Amino acid sequence: GQSLEQPSEVTAVEGAIVQINCTYQTSGFYGLSWYQQHDGGAPTFLSYNGLDGLEETGRFSSFLSRSDSYGYLLLQELQMKDSASYFCAVRDSPGYSSASKIIFGSGTRLSIRP
Amino acid sequence: DTGVSQNPRHKITKRGQNVTFRCDPISEHNRLYWYRQTLGQGPEFLTYFQNEAQLEKSRLLSDRFSAERPKGSFSTLEIQRTEQGDSAMYLCASSPYSTTNEKLFFGSGTQLSVL
């Protein structure tokens, strides 16, 4: 089977830094993405890692280690509006493959305290 | 760019009825995905189109589910003989073709309640 494991809940303080981990076990691996979803809203794209290392986009960074089948999302200078669910997602076949699909983890609910 | 549009936003139906949802992707996007999401879970892959061709369908999807994308534009998802277990948010997403970084743009979803 294919699985992506994330912590179900994380709580952090406003202004702090939080890391959300994701480990994956899929038939193939062609990139790890992160999405944010506020309650009642649609998932929105945050970041993508195709190669090992760190990608930075403003307050958000994402890391990938393909040898460890592991990645994380790092959120800095937390704001109350960052309270949301965060999903890691893996593409399991090359993008040009007809059988390609993107699989999502079950999500991490991040709660920010003042 | 008006984003991905899904209709209806909410659908309440009785068990055994058929329902159909519509998704209008971003106009220049040739890839279209359907996902299902229940409370506290991540989006579950249902099916995927590249232009008008349905290239992948989840093995978990029963024969009661069918999707089409005529002319490679809008898509419809039909559920026949609905069951209470079909109650969920049905999300559509589109993306432009890319061999590397693929960014999905999601619609607001159709919330299905089967009574």
Side-chain angles (χ1 to χ4, degrees):
Chain A
Q2 310 206 81
S3 67
L4 286 78
E5 299 292 330
Q6 307 177 232
S8 58
E9 292 184 23
V10 171
T11 301
V13 177
E14 191 176 15
I17 299 172
V18 71
Q19 178 173 313
I20 299 174
N21 299 322
C22 174
T23 56
Y24 57 88
Q25 190 171 16
T26 55
S27 57
F29 178 82
Y30 292 87
L32 177 72
S33 300
W34 289 90
Y35 287 79
Q36 178 192 60
Q37 186 177 31
H38 287 98
D39 287 347
T44 56
F45 175 85
L46 289 177
S47 69
Y48 171 83
N49 294 77
L51 300 174
D52 291 351
L54 192 69
E55 294 287 337
E56 297 180 73
T57 309
R59 295 188 297 115
F60 295 177
S61 303
S62 58
F63 172 82
L64 173 64
S65 170
R66 288 174 294 172
S67 61
D68 295 320
S69 298
Y70 164 76
Y72 66 73
L73 179 69
L74 191 73
L75 295 82
Q76 303 181 72
E77 301 172 17
L78 286 170
Q79 302 175 10
M80 298 301 293
K81 67 178 182 179
D82 297 328
S83 292
S85 292
Y86 293 83
F87 299 93
C88 59
V90 166
R91 173 171 287 287
D92 68 348
S93 302
Y96 53 79
S97 165
S98 62
S100 185
K101 60 184 178 289
I102 297 175
I103 306 162
F104 283 76
S106 56
T108 299
R109 187 171 184 87
L110 174 62
S111 298
I112 310 297
R113 293 184 286 112
Chain B
D1 177 4
T2 56
V4 178
S5 176
Q6 291 188 247
N7 288 288
R9 289 296 306 275
H10 304 275
K11 179 69 177 179
I12 300 173
T13 191
K14 292 183 179 179
R15 190 166 46 121
Q17 298 295 304
N18 298 344
V19 294
T20 300
F21 310 139
R22 176 178 171 126
C23 172
D24 288 273
I26 294 171
S27 59
E28 62 269 24
H29 289 182
N30 58 1
R31 288 186 166 176
L32 186 148
Y33 299 79
W34 284 99
Y35 287 86
R36 176 172 62 189
Q37 187 176 29
T38 54
L39 199 61
Q41 298 298 312
E44 175 192 6
F45 173 81
L46 295 180
T47 191
Y48 151 60
F49 291 84
Q50 182 154 306
N51 300 313
E52 67 275 9
Q54 187 175 19
L55 298 184
E56 182 78 354
K57 184 176 177 180
S58 171
R59 284 186 285 272
L60 302 175
L61 212 58
S62 81
D63 291 342
R64 297 184 297 106
F65 287 72
S66 62
E68 294 183 340
R69 193 184 181 194
K71 303 179 182 178
S73 56
F74 71 92
S75 176
T76 58
L77 177 69
E78 181 182 18
I79 309 174
Q80 297 181 328
R81 305 181 303 281
T82 52
E83 302 172 356
Q84 288 184 325
D86 298 331
S87 295
M89 175 71 81
Y90 288 82
L91 294 166
C92 174
S94 70
S95 72
Y97 176 79
S98 171
T99 58
T100 54
N101 180 5
E102 182 166 9
K103 176 179 177 179
L104 296 184
F105 294 79
F106 281 87
S108 298
T110 294
Q111 181 67 53
L112 173 65
S113 298
V114 182
L115 304 178

